Amino acid sequence: MSVSEQELKEFREEVSAWLKENNPGDPGFLLPESFMEVGTDEQFEYLRDWQSKVYHAGYLGMAWPAEYGGGGKPQVFQDIVTQEMARQRVPFMTNTIGLNWAGPLILSRGTEDEKKKYIKGILSAEDIWCQGFSEPDHGSDLGNAQTRAVRDGDDYIISGSKIWTSLGTYARYMILLARTSTDGPNKYAGLSFFLSPMKVEGVDPVPIKKLTSEYGFCQTYFNDARIPGTCIMGKEGEGWQIAMETLMYERGATGGQAGGLAAMDLNINDVLELAKRSTRNGKPALEDPLIRDRMVQFLIEAKGNALMIPRTRITALNSERPMAVAMSGKLRGTELKRRFCQFALSLQAANGGRFVGPQAIDGGKWQRSYFNSFSATIGGGTSQVQRNIVGERVLGLPKS
Amino acid sequence: MLLDTAMDFCSTHSPVTSVRTRIEEESDFSDDLWRQVIDLGWTAIIIPESYAGLGLSMTDLVPIVESMGRNLMTTPLVSSTLAAHALIEGGSEEQKNTWLPRIAQGAIATIALAEAEGSWNLKQLTSFGTRTNGKVQLSGSKNLVENAAAADVILISINLEGEPVLALIEKSLIPDGALTREIIIDETRRAYQLDLDGIIIDESMLLASCCLKQIEYATLLLLCAEMAGGHAAVLNVIVEYLNTRKQFDRYIGSYQALKHPTVQILIDMEASRSHLYHAATIWNTATEDELEIALRMAKAHASESFAHAGDRAVQFHGGFGFTYECDAQLFLRRALWCQYQFGDEKYHRQLLAPLLLD
Ligand SMILES: Cc1cc2nc3c(=O)[nH]c(=O)nc-3n(C[C@H](O)[C@H](O)[C@H](O)COP(=O)(O)OP(=O)(O)OC[C@H]3O[C@@H](n4cnc5c(N)ncnc54)[C@H](O)[C@@H]3O)c2cc1C
């Protein structure tokens, strides 16, 4: 289906006007910047209502098939919405795990029943999803996950525990990686993948306090929780392969996500704006040559990252190492954010030592963002492990 | 030997568990611990014998503050000592007679130099004093004043008719509601905003000389001591985890991605200590330029490297590093506080450049 430029232009205007009209605005409390930071009921309710509103206006999952609740339109429409959301800095879509990794996974390899059952609830935010991959003893070494799933008649009995479960207390479903067998040829062979209900007996998500002193993720205990056998995705033993596919969605290395703004990140222009209103020795901070140099370095780095995205669409410009850009995206983006948040604190001079509260610059959001930036340099695979992966898969370096 | 005693005392009396309890508590510090610090004579160290002190120097305080930093121990020792130092350097005979013996015996004092804008230039003041009939009427506010609620006396800097001056405010002159607790990144500390509006002090409370530079130097020295201790401790936190946590059936410390940066943290820590001990050693004898260079080098190096160590400590603990329960955050918060008080690395490097290059 080809779409005319005119039609797209009109659509952009329509979306832009709708967002302006419907932006839920300042809730009067500090909003999280991503789903990993949602820590209070008021934050959660606010974000869930907003996602629901966007979906019901027809602006989410626009390229997902109409028969399951999507919009059935070309991807370009959704991309326009996402761009406009970013431009107007409206709140993000909080059901991130559902929209961006469980959803595309179900659409790509789920059964007809699974698509009918799950997709619409993901889009409307009626069904929040969480991810049960990491365990206390196995994070980077995910393949070693030990949570057990034992077949019992028509059901599976789950025991063990998952940890760092973002949105764990709000979720209705979990994408769960669990061990159905211990005697395969290697650690990966015994893993299976489940679309597992959270609101059943024996599943107990317990919130954990974060370094920001807020709450926001959980340890999820499974005490012989009984889930229907139909929750398994694919066959027993296919868990690792499906988990890897999921991580490709999660790290943005594969497309197919529902779209919509996934995070309300502070970006380099926010740092610039902060620099413009900061002072150093009674003079504007941006007159300081050191601050100027650092600021320009960050702008170059951020621009470089932004330019990678359109470049990947031109195959000829990526022929030597086709996955280099896609596979390094998370690493580049998250490490940059960590560093520019640090820099933002230094712009505040002695006030860099404040924390979230009315006296801090911008309510302390820079300090909080710096701390929260580790959620992305650790979560979804740590930067160290990302470098191993890029080294091995993109450069073909030997495995350690 | 002072270092040994201090290390012993601080690790016994300020284990991490008690640091965490302190964070939760309303009071600014533990009275009991403070009493013991006084009994050890630490509050009298820099006070001359003629004012009932021990007549030692700031140098002697360095190992103590380093040990406190290592154990994240907080008492008013540093703020009281800095105020005492200011009095020794710039106070009148009467002020010294009044306050130094009391501080030696444990009266709590603190310094209030920072203001809302957070400028590191201590002479750039927007709180004012106006003289009227032998009195000075104050206005504006001071910020990030440590231990202010418990202080018997606060030493403030103000702009008095265009000149920076220092003045003492006794506790009895601070009206109800003039102190507001401020939320700071290092939760082991307590800092306050002090509203000066309406406070009137006697002219005799002004210090004879505005020894801002001397106060800055002493603060830098003690901040560096605190940072060196904290840096050593956070390194231990990292090493402990690298030696016990396994992934892929190997200790994570065996991965060079973690091992090599941790070695760099060690090297940076040792450099911070060398800079610190050098500055402490020449404290009493150096020319002003030598001392300034030593202190600014020490602060520039420590600010950057301790904050980096705290940052890596979080990262190297993985998901656990992201929790409140992990000690990495305690040190990262401490490091960030110290980094942004009295100038970060860029600030000091800029001041060093002309001293070293021109
Ligand atoms: C805010 C946040 C939200 C999260 N949300 C979820 C969630 O919803 N669901 C979920 O399943 N998980 C979640 N995670 C978990 C995350 O995926 C893991 O924390 C991560 O994979 C690291 O595992 P770990 O915590 O066990 O750390 P470890 O694997 O123990 O790592 C510790 C340190 O060792 C390093 N390391 C480990 N192996 C190597 C190696 N081979 N080479 C070099 N260095 C290595 C790591 O880089 C790290 O610095 C979340 C984490 C955070 C911080």
Side-chain angles (χ1 to χ4, degrees):
Chain A
M1 188 182 1
S2 85
V3 196
S4 74
E5 286 299 317
Q6 183 58 26
E7 195 180 335
L8 291 180
K9 191 166 160 271
E10 282 166 17
F11 179 69
R12 190 181 289 276
E13 281 160 15
E14 171 203 311
V15 181
S16 169
W18 187 88
L19 288 171
K20 234 174 244 131
E21 181 93 347
N22 291 281
N23 185 343
D26 181 359
F29 49 83
L30 214 50
L31 274 175
E33 284 180 45
S34 81
F35 79 100
M36 286 192 283
E37 298 173 23
V38 177
T40 64
D41 291 351
E42 64 179 3
Q43 291 175 339
F44 173 70
E45 301 296 343
Y46 172 97
L47 289 164
R48 168 191 255 182
D49 289 351
W50 169 235
Q51 181 183 325
S52 166
K53 193 165 183 181
V54 172
Y55 170 65
H56 287 109
Y59 294 139
L60 191 59
M62 294 185 76
W64 282 8
E67 64 262 48
Y68 309 121
K73 293 202 170 60
Q75 179 67 32
V76 52
F77 286 96
Q78 184 66 58
D79 290 346
I80 287 174
V81 174
T82 307
Q83 286 158 16
E84 284 303 303
M85 287 178 120
R87 207 174 54 80
Q88 295 197 26
R89 313 204 78 170
V90 298
F92 63 92
M93 302 290 100
T94 197
N95 199 12
T96 306
I97 293 174
L99 294 168
N100 300 326
W101 43 102
L105 184 75
I106 292 167
L107 285 174
S108 110
R109 58 151 69 226
T111 62
E112 191 59 23
D113 281 350
E114 285 166 346
K115 293 178 193 169
K116 287 213 172 91
K117 180 169 175 193
Y118 297 124
I119 294 299
K120 183 148 189 258
I122 287 176
L123 290 168
S124 67
E126 217 159 295
D127 301 336
I128 300 298
W129 284 68
C130 68
Q131 180 176 30
F133 283 15
S134 309
E135 297 180 358
D137 290 336
H138 305 99
S140 298
D141 186 11
L142 192 60
N144 232 328
Q146 296 299 330
T147 296
R148 291 301 312 269
V150 178
R151 189 85 200 192
D152 182 52
D154 287 342
D155 301 330
Y156 280 98
I157 312 281
I158 315 288
S159 58
S161 95
K162 293 288 174 181
I163 199 165
W164 325 125
T165 326
S166 305
L167 296 174
T169 49
Y170 300 113
R172 182 161 179 203
Y173 298 109
M174 168 187 268
I175 41 175
L176 169 68
L177 186 64
R179 191 162 291 282
T180 40
S181 145
T182 48
D183 48 28
N186 56 46
K187 62 186 178 185
Y188 307 113
L191 291 171
S192 300
F193 199 94
F194 298 87
L195 307 175
S196 185
M198 289 291 284
K199 311 285 180 199
V200 295
E201 217 181 293
V203 180
D204 191 15
V206 178
I208 301 173
K209 196 173 176 184
K210 304 186 300 183
L211 82 167
T212 57
S213 75
E214 301 160 306
Y215 286 83
F217 53 14
C218 300
Q219 180 157 7
T220 307
Y221 296 92
F222 296 87
N223 296 308
D224 292 334
R226 184 174 283 277
I227 64 167
T230 49
C231 290
I232 193 165
M233 178 175 242
K235 292 198 278 298
E236 283 192 10
E238 288 181 356
W240 181 249
Q241 192 191 333
I242 303 177
M244 287 303 97
E245 212 176 304
T246 313
L247 287 178
M248 294 300 269
Y249 292 118
E250 172 170 357
R251 294 170 187 160
T254 309
Q257 288 83 348
L261 196 61
M264 212 164 32
D265 270 346
L266 288 168
N267 61 41
I268 198 62
N269 290 319
D270 297 316
V271 185
L272 178 57
E273 190 270 326
L274 173 69
K276 283 184 175 159
R277 60 191 153 90
S278 301
T279 56
R280 180 59 36 100
N281 265 334
K283 285 194 237 134
L286 276 182
E287 286 180 13
D288 181 328
L290 291 183
I291 292 176
R292 292 175 78 76
D293 181 57
R294 201 68 198 98
M295 200 62 239
V296 171
Q297 283 181 0
F298 278 127
L299 287 164
I300 293 171
E301 192 178 340
K303 184 72 181 176
N305 279 348
L307 290 170
M308 303 258 188
I309 298 161
R311 203 189 99 200
T312 51
R313 300 203 191 107
I314 305 167
T315 322
L317 299 181
N318 299 279
S319 55
E320 190 176 14
R321 298 195 171 95
M323 290 308 284
V325 168
M327 293 200 55
S328 61
K330 173 186 180 296
L331 180 62
R332 287 182 280 108
T334 62
E335 287 291 333
L336 169 62
K337 179 163 185 203
R338 182 180 62 80
R339 284 182 281 109
F340 76 55
C341 285
Q342 282 176 328
F343 174 72
L345 300 198
S346 77
L347 287 170
Q348 305 176 12
N351 288 325
R354 294 183 182 277
F355 201 63
V356 179
Q359 294 149 327
I361 291 171
D362 298 336
K365 71 178 178 188
W366 295 98
Q367 282 77 4
R368 194 188 66 160
S369 284
Y370 169 45
F371 283 180
N372 273 324
S373 72
F374 291 102
S375 66
T377 61
I378 295 168
T382 67
S383 294
Q384 287 69 31
V385 168
Q386 294 297 302
R387 290 190 188 97
N388 286 345
I389 294 174
V390 174
E392 288 158 20
R393 299 222 210 121
V394 177
L395 293 176
L397 293 172
K399 285 196 177 242
S400 55
Chain B
M1 82 269 103
L2 198 47
L3 183 60
D4 287 342
T5 325
M7 288 264 268
D8 255 14
F9 180 82
C10 297
S11 61
T12 316
H13 292 86
S14 181
V16 169
T17 45
S18 81
V19 170
R20 287 181 180 271
T21 318
R22 279 244 42 81
I23 290 175
E24 302 296 321
E25 268 160 37
E26 263 304 302
S27 62
D28 289 2
F29 52 88
S30 148
D31 288 329
D32 182 43
L33 187 58
W34 179 230
R35 185 46 41 216
Q36 297 184 59
V37 165
I38 298 165
D39 290 345
L40 284 167
W42 292 354
T43 49
I45 287 181
I46 70 147
I47 312 239
E49 282 165 310
S50 46
Y51 300 98
L54 293 175
L56 298 169
S57 99
M58 209 51 93
T59 312
D60 300 290
L61 208 67
V62 162
I64 293 175
V65 176
E66 185 183 347
S67 304
M68 288 172 58
R70 204 179 243 266
N71 294 281
L72 299 169
M73 180 173 136
T74 40
T75 71
L77 179 64
V78 169
S79 71
S80 279
T81 299
L82 291 172
H85 180 67
L87 283 166
I88 294 167
E89 294 291 327
S92 68
E93 206 40 50
E94 193 196 330
Q95 289 163 344
K96 290 194 230 184
N97 272 319
T98 311
W99 284 107
L100 292 179
R102 289 169 67 184
I103 294 175
Q105 280 156 33
I108 295 170
T110 189
I111 54 168
L113 306 185
E115 297 193 345
E117 206 173 297
S119 176
W120 291 317
N121 181 338
L122 300 177
K123 291 194 176 147
Q124 199 191 303
L125 296 166
T126 57
S127 53
F128 291 92
T130 343
R131 281 185 219 258
T132 35
N133 309 325
K135 302 268 183 195
V136 180
Q137 168 130 26
L138 306 179
S139 63
S141 73
K142 305 305 290 186
N143 290 87
L144 304 172
V145 188
E146 291 192 57
N147 305 315
D152 298 301
V153 64
I154 301 180
L155 183 109
I156 62 164
S157 56
I158 45 166
N159 179 334
L160 183 70
E161 287 144 13
E163 290 296 317
V165 301
L166 296 169
L168 295 167
I169 308 181
E170 287 183 38
K171 192 188 196 109
S172 60
L173 289 179
I174 297 172
D176 283 348
L179 286 174
T180 326
R181 173 121 175 236
E182 295 182 298
I183 299 168
I184 57 174
I185 204 157
D186 177 358
E187 296 181 309
T188 65
R189 290 179 136 84
R190 297 289 184 273
Y192 294 83
Q193 171 166 318
L194 167 60
D195 287 318
L196 298 173
D197 291 344
I199 300 180
I200 297 169
I201 54 171
D202 204 85
E203 262 190 25
S204 65
M205 292 293 130
L206 299 178
L207 263 63
S209 102
C210 182
C211 51
L212 275 172
K213 188 161 242 172
Q214 285 81 352
I215 305 179
E216 186 195 7
Y217 288 178
T219 310
L220 291 178
L221 184 71
L222 297 187
L223 272 173
C224 288
E226 187 179 333
M227 286 192 278
H231 196 154
V234 75
L235 173 63
N236 289 342
V237 171
I238 296 174
V239 169
E240 165 77 16
Y241 202 64
L242 263 56
N243 275 323
T244 48
R245 173 77 176 173
K246 279 186 169 179
Q247 281 300 279
F248 305 97
D249 300 320
R250 280 169 59 179
Y251 289 114
I252 57 173
S254 69
Y255 298 115
Q256 291 179 0
L258 268 49
K259 187 191 284 173
H260 289 186
T262 303
V263 169
Q264 190 58 46
I265 290 168
L266 165 75
I267 292 170
D268 285 337
M269 187 270 287
E270 295 299 356
S272 283
R273 293 179 64 192
S274 296
H275 283 293
L276 167 69
Y277 299 149
H278 170 63
T281 309
I282 66 169
W283 177 261
N284 296 307
T285 54
T287 64
E288 205 201 301
D289 267 9
E290 280 171 348
L291 185 62
E292 179 172 4
I293 289 172
L295 288 166
R296 294 203 193 285
M297 279 189 173
K299 180 67 164 72
H301 183 81
S303 290
E304 187 169 36
S305 59
F306 181 24
H308 177 69
D311 175 287
R312 293 298 81 193
V314 169
Q315 179 72 23
F316 292 173
H317 281 74
F320 181 51
F322 203 73
T323 67
Y324 196 75
E325 190 194 335
C326 178
D327 289 341
Q329 57 93 3
L330 296 172
F331 290 99
L332 176 58
R333 286 165 174 273
R334 168 62 61 92
L336 291 166
W337 170 265
C338 293
Q339 181 179 26
Y340 295 123
Q341 301 316 303
F342 289 80
D344 69 355
E345 59 277 13
K346 291 199 271 310
Y347 177 79
H348 289 291
R349 289 200 295 251
Q350 251 164 329
L351 294 175
L352 280 167
L355 294 170
L356 299 174
L357 309 178
D358 300 336

